[in-house]
Amino acid sequence: MNSKFKFPVVLYPILLALALFLLDKIFFLPVIVENTYSWKKIERKFYELKEDLFEVMLAEQQKNPSKQIGLILGSSRSGEFDSDMLESFFPNTNSFNFAAPFGPPSFQAYWLERTLNSKLPLRYVLIEVDPLLFSQSAIDYSLNGSYDNGYVLSHIDLYRAKNKNPWASNANGFSTDEVEVYFLKKLFALYKYPLDPTAIKANNKEIEVGFFPGMSVGITGKDHKRNYIDKIKMVNRVKFGALPNEIKFANMDVFLERDAEAMYNQYLRGQSLAPTQVYFFKKMLQLLEGTGIPVIIYFPAVSDALRKRMSRDGLLENFNSEIIKAVEKAKEVPNSKFTVVDPNVDPRWVCKDFVDSLHLSGACFPNLLPILFPKEVR
């Protein structure tokens, strides 16, 4: 009688899948990521390092319990605002900047909720809103592991009915497709960091000076990225998350017009706004209703070229009116302090130099501050 054990054939596919799953985890190792994932893609780190900023905020509050907290939520266009800059507007307040590239309402709501749950003494909240941040593309930016699993699982929208009007949608969190993408990126390294052979070469090649092709700066792409990540961590501690806009020049109108068209085509053409983002924006309003905390809803300053492009099909006007309608409803709750600010239509905004169609020159921010933080919210 043959007593040799025969391995069940049916288990081979399972073992193969398990082996591939474990092999995939190698590509999560930092040393692998910095060699295989393009050094130019830094956006994800801005999202991930907000956890570091949150820890800094908790430590600072424990160290200086008499100081209040200012919370800045938005995109890279709000990344300039730092605590020192806002000291004259909000004395005895540490302002923490949680802005991230294309930081959408879902990401803003996540940090607002965590801050409120930590019982921190909020002096004010600045919330940036515009059609780009409500687009599906903005969600894609933030689904790279920026939330914690519990938050995503507690905000699954399982039964969302289709509705052409995102403002009238019955959205109740992240769609099932968005949750699927989030966990795929959480579980599979090659889904989060697709293997790119050209990136491996570029990451280990010395960077060229932008204005002098062929002339290197003496460090590789991955070294540059590593240094930039260290800079973000340092900024979290020194400027509480704000990154000074060191670009002070203004670009030509013809460039701004081309860039505005490109931005519109890439993120907004043929797309309706994401119901998920409408839901999280309204959730933020609900979280802040009746709290007595001054809340500034801020339409970011953008170039005239981009405003005209978004206005051409009525997108901008409809978006702004829906935002104002939602804020007015929230203001009906007693002890609610909401202010809508739009520097784009404010005659006091005169410094209109733009680096690209989205980003104001760093030299213009001092002109913007008194408009964003009027006396009634201080």
Side-chain angles (χ1 to χ4, degrees):
M1 181 176 179
N2 190 352
S3 61
K4 288 183 178 180
F5 173 76
K6 289 186 178 180
F7 202 79
V9 175
V10 72
L11 291 180
Y12 281 113
I14 297 174
L15 289 175
L16 178 61
L18 180 61
L20 291 174
F21 180 77
L22 294 174
L23 179 64
D24 172 82
K25 300 302 154 287
I26 294 174
F27 292 90
F28 272 131
L29 295 173
V31 67
I32 302 295
V33 173
E34 76 170 5
N35 279 283
T36 61
Y37 189 66
S38 174
W39 68 271
K40 295 181 180 180
K41 296 180 179 179
I42 193 67
E43 297 89 354
R44 188 168 292 165
K45 278 298 176 183
F46 280 99
Y47 281 89
E48 293 175 354
L49 288 173
K50 294 309 174 189
E51 187 67 44
D52 177 65
L53 178 61
F54 186 72
E55 295 300 324
V56 171
M57 183 167 68
L58 295 178
E60 283 293 326
Q61 185 58 26
Q62 193 170 25
K63 190 164 51 177
N64 299 297
S66 63
K67 281 208 166 187
Q68 293 182 291
I69 298 291
L71 198 62
I72 298 166
L73 305 168
S75 73
S76 55
R77 291 168 291 183
S78 297
E80 172 84 6
F81 306 128
D82 70 58
S83 197
D84 293 336
M85 182 188 291
L86 300 175
E87 178 68 26
S88 61
F89 297 94
F90 300 101
N92 198 40
T93 301
N94 285 333
S95 296
F96 289 85
N97 197 318
F98 282 83
F102 274 86
S106 53
F107 188 69
Q108 297 175 18
Y110 173 66
W111 287 111
L112 173 62
E113 196 163 351
R114 285 190 63 177
T115 303
L116 291 172
N117 290 343
S118 298
K119 308 296 181 185
L120 295 172
L122 281 176
R123 173 65 182 84
Y124 73 93
V125 178
L126 176 70
I127 297 174
E128 178 193 329
V129 294
D130 85 337
L132 287 162
L133 301 189
F134 280 63
S135 69
Q136 186 63 45
S137 298
I139 298 178
D140 296 339
Y141 266 84
S142 69
L143 288 177
N144 289 304
S146 303
Y147 313 95
D148 63 60
N149 296 344
Y151 188 81
V152 174
L153 289 171
S154 64
H155 289 85
I156 298 179
D157 183 1
L158 294 172
Y159 306 106
R160 182 183 299 180
K162 289 186 177 181
N163 193 319
K164 290 185 178 180
N165 181 3
W167 300 97
S169 170
N170 67 337
N172 194 34
F174 297 102
S175 71
T176 52
D177 288 342
E178 291 157 1
V179 173
E180 179 184 359
V181 169
Y182 170 82
F183 280 106
L184 282 172
K185 292 190 175 186
K186 204 74 165 169
L187 292 170
F188 297 100
L190 290 176
Y191 192 87
K192 185 173 183 176
Y193 303 109
L195 201 57
D196 181 1
T198 60
I200 298 174
K201 181 179 179 181
N203 289 348
N204 290 280
K205 182 181 178 182
E206 288 191 356
I207 302 172
E208 293 183 357
V209 180
F211 296 108
F212 302 100
M215 184 181 293
S216 72
V217 296
I219 62 171
T220 63
K222 68 180 182 182
D223 289 331
H224 175 77
K225 186 173 185 177
R226 192 185 301 144
N227 292 340
Y228 200 81
I229 291 170
D230 289 339
K231 179 181 179 181
I232 298 173
K233 291 178 181 177
M234 180 272 291
V235 160
N236 282 351
R237 285 149 181 80
V238 177
K239 291 189 171 292
F240 300 152
L243 270 176
N245 184 345
E246 298 169 355
I247 304 176
K248 308 296 183 183
F249 70 87
N251 232 314
M252 296 181 295
D253 289 345
V254 64
F255 170 81
L256 297 179
E257 289 172 5
R258 289 174 182 169
D259 188 62
E261 188 68 27
M263 292 297 296
Y264 183 89
N265 290 340
Q266 183 175 356
Y267 297 109
L268 296 170
R269 179 183 287 277
Q271 300 182 40
S272 61
L273 302 183
T276 296
Q277 304 301 10
V278 173
Y279 163 79
F280 279 107
F281 172 69
K282 291 181 177 179
K283 180 178 176 66
M284 283 193 287
L285 298 183
Q286 292 169 1
L287 288 170
L288 293 164
E289 286 174 354
T291 62
I293 299 169
V295 182
I296 304 113
I297 308 297
Y298 159 49
F299 295 110
V302 298
S303 67
D304 286 341
L306 185 57
R307 280 182 60 81
K308 289 176 182 176
R309 187 62 191 86
M310 290 192 293
S311 296
R312 197 181 302 168
D313 56 4
L315 171 66
L316 186 63
E317 288 71 18
N318 181 64
F319 176 86
N320 289 2
S321 66
E322 291 289 352
I323 291 290
I324 292 170
K325 189 190 304 181
V327 173
E328 289 300 318
K329 182 179 178 182
K331 287 169 71 171
E332 295 174 0
V333 178
N335 199 31
S336 297
K337 296 182 179 179
F338 294 96
T339 304
V340 177
V341 178
D342 187 355
N344 297 284
V345 295
D346 193 305
R348 292 173 294 169
W349 181 43
V350 294
C351 187
K352 300 185 178 183
D353 295 338
F354 281 86
V355 178
D356 56 35
S357 62
L358 284 176
H359 296 96
L360 192 65
S361 164
C364 290
F365 275 84
N367 175 215
L368 204 60
L369 294 179
I371 301 171
L372 284 187
F373 304 103
K375 290 182 179 179
E376 57 265 28
V377 303
R378 301 180 206 170

